[in-house]
Amino acid sequence: MDQLDPHFASTLTRRRLIAAGALGAAGVAVGQGATGQGPGFPGKTGLVTLRARPPLLETPLGLLGRDVFTPNDRFFVRWHWADIPTAVDVRTFRLRVGGHVAHPQALTLADILAMPRIQLAAVNQCSGNSRSLVGPRVAGAQWGHGAMGNARWVGVPLRHILDRVGVRPGAVDVRFGGLDKPLVPQAPDFLKSLAVDHARDGEVMVAFQMNGEQLPLLNGFPLRLIVPGWFSTYWVKALDTIEVLARPDDNFWMAKAYRIPTAPHATVVPGAKDFPTVPINAMPPRSWVTSLDPGQTVAFEPTIPIAGLALGGAHGVAKVDVSSDGRRWYKAVLGPDHGRYSFRRWDARVPVAGQGPVRLMSRCWNTAGEVQPFAPVWNPGGYARNQVEVTTIVAA
């Protein structure tokens, strides 16, 4: 397993946390340092290190399945550039909001905390989640299924911040940037944009709290953009700039990177070129068996219990069907509904024909009628995979 650079790890543990006078009203922990330290990554435990710099840390699927909400210390990490913030002085930190607005402002954390706030549950899923399973293989971080997590987020609706600065007529996009920077000057800053109407929908938020605690530094402290229902490339971490644009955003990360085919399920024939694309956007429905690991041996019984997680993407989970042979399907029982953007637990029993390999499958429908396809999803970026997944176990 790769280890984090010692200097990087030591500076990360010495980060300055928010002072009592700033976050007391938010009910956020106050203190210094980090607990639950994993191998080289303070505040993280039990994660798989895909890359140390920038940090790419994956949550094992079995850990994800223990609860609908992912504990902060088990929440996956994905940064684009290696120069990520290892300390934030909250006294001098400012969220700068400008561009095509009437009153540009540099907001303090106290300004943010004084605004009306909302809470919602939402899954944060990397665009390339499950890329290691794509065939033919594609370039990029070789994630398993664990580049995702679900949390209760608390923050300020972005709409309130935009209203405060006065978006001028003719605004088209809203662009977001964070404290992470490329190591070489010619590389483009990581910037993402939303259409102005989406940015003002009342659910997109600037969050400062995650699962009842302040944001971990590795997950975007002190502020993070939350775009519920959309892939996490838009969830800009360590958010420090918001710029309203009077034209469509044509920066590299919108015009060139993170784009998917316009074809159904974002799928093209391997090797295809010159097909139309759009920026990746809303997540499609997905589901997983989490109660049993691939290759696990279980005692043979005529039926066995299985359980897992489902997400509806930009819509709620409507139903989940399960199978142990790919031919006969059975309705799973859904757990409590924590909101349209949250994971939802499911439970079921499936028949087992006899001893030997058993192929377990789950298939999710969302409330918009979208359903996981059986056919493989393939595109050159390894993005937006949502086909029915197979977990093969052994009955003995």
Side-chain angles (χ1 to χ4, degrees), residues 100-101 158-159 162-163 166-176 193-202 204 242-249:
H100 195 65
V101 301
L158 177 60
R159 179 177 64 194
L162 295 176
D163 287 347
V167 175
R168 295 168 57 190
V172 175
D173 283 348
V174 183
R175 175 192 283 170
F176 309 92
S193 293
L194 299 174
V196 67
D197 288 345
H198 186 184
R200 295 173 57 88
D201 71 0
V204 176
I242 300 175
E243 181 182 7
V244 179
L245 305 178
R247 54 173 176 76
D249 190 0

Side-chain angles (χ1 to χ4, degrees), residues 117-360:
R117 62 188 61 169
I118 58 173
Q119 174 179 295
L120 57 79
V123 173
N124 178 18
Q125 180 184 203
C126 181
S127 305
N129 193 26
S130 311
R131 184 184 284 125
S132 67
L133 305 175
V134 171
R137 193 178 181 91
V138 297
Q142 297 301 301
W143 298 105
H145 292 311
M148 60 179 180
N150 186 42
R152 292 184 175 95
W153 310 93
V154 173
V156 173
L158 177 60
R159 179 177 64 194
H160 292 320
I161 295 174
L162 295 176
D163 287 347
R164 180 171 176 141
V165 299
V167 175
R168 295 168 57 190
V172 175
D173 283 348
V174 183
R175 175 192 283 170
F176 309 92
L179 293 173
D180 54 320
K181 301 298 178 186
L183 293 177
V184 292
Q186 63 269 30
D189 286 344
F190 183 71
L191 301 167
K192 297 297 293 188
S193 293
L194 299 174
V196 67
D197 288 345
H198 186 184
R200 295 173 57 88
D201 71 0
E203 292 187 321
V204 176
M205 78 164 80
V206 174
F208 49 79
Q209 193 179 100
M210 176 180 175
N211 287 328
E213 302 174 353
Q214 65 184 20
L215 290 166
L217 187 60
L218 282 167
N219 293 111
F221 177 87
L223 300 174
R224 178 173 198 166
L225 191 71
I226 305 299
V227 187
W230 280 41
F231 282 104
S232 68
T233 180
Y234 294 94
W235 296 40
V236 175
K237 295 180 291 300
L239 178 71
D240 73 335
T241 60
I242 300 175
E243 181 182 7
V244 179
L245 305 178
R247 54 173 176 76
D249 190 0
D250 61 357
N251 93 82
F252 172 81
W253 297 99
M254 294 298 297
K256 301 294 184 183
Y258 285 103
R259 297 183 69 90
I260 58 174
T262 58
H265 304 296
T267 297
V268 294
V269 176
K273 297 180 179 179
D274 301 325
F275 47 84
T277 66
V278 295
I280 197 168
N281 44 80
M283 296 185 293
R286 295 195 74 180
S287 63
W288 300 264
V289 174
T290 61
S291 58
L292 296 170
D293 295 325
Q296 183 173 340
T297 298
V298 300
F300 169 74
E301 295 182 40
T303 65
I304 60 170
I306 60 173
L309 295 173
L311 69 87
H315 305 276
V317 174
K319 70 171 182 173
V320 173
D321 285 353
V322 297
S323 177
S324 54
D325 60 12
R327 299 187 303 275
R328 297 167 296 171
W329 290 82
Y330 306 89
K331 185 176 181 180
V333 176
L334 298 179
D337 186 352
H338 297 282
R340 64 188 291 189
Y341 304 117
S342 174
F343 278 145
R344 196 160 183 186
R345 180 184 169 91
W346 57 261
D347 288 272
R349 293 191 72 93
V350 293
V352 176
Q355 294 182 336
V358 181
R359 289 164 52 85
L360 302 176

Side-chain angles (χ1 to χ4, degrees), residues 2-17:
D2 293 332
Q3 298 295 317
L4 186 64
D5 178 87
H7 174 71
F8 177 79
S10 63
T11 55
L12 185 58
T13 61
R14 294 196 304 267
R15 73 189 190 277
R16 183 187 303 278
L17 300 188

Side-chain angles (χ1 to χ4, degrees), residues 72-109:
N72 291 1
D73 66 335
R74 302 293 178 88
F75 212 96
F76 89 103
V77 174
R78 197 272 191 260
W79 291 82
H80 291 84
W81 294 127
D83 185 4
I84 69 172
T86 59
V88 176
D89 187 337
V90 299
R91 298 168 301 180
T92 60
F93 175 85
R94 297 293 184 271
L95 174 62
R96 303 186 186 280
V97 189
H100 195 65
V101 301
H103 310 289
Q105 296 189 31
L107 301 174
T108 66
L109 287 173

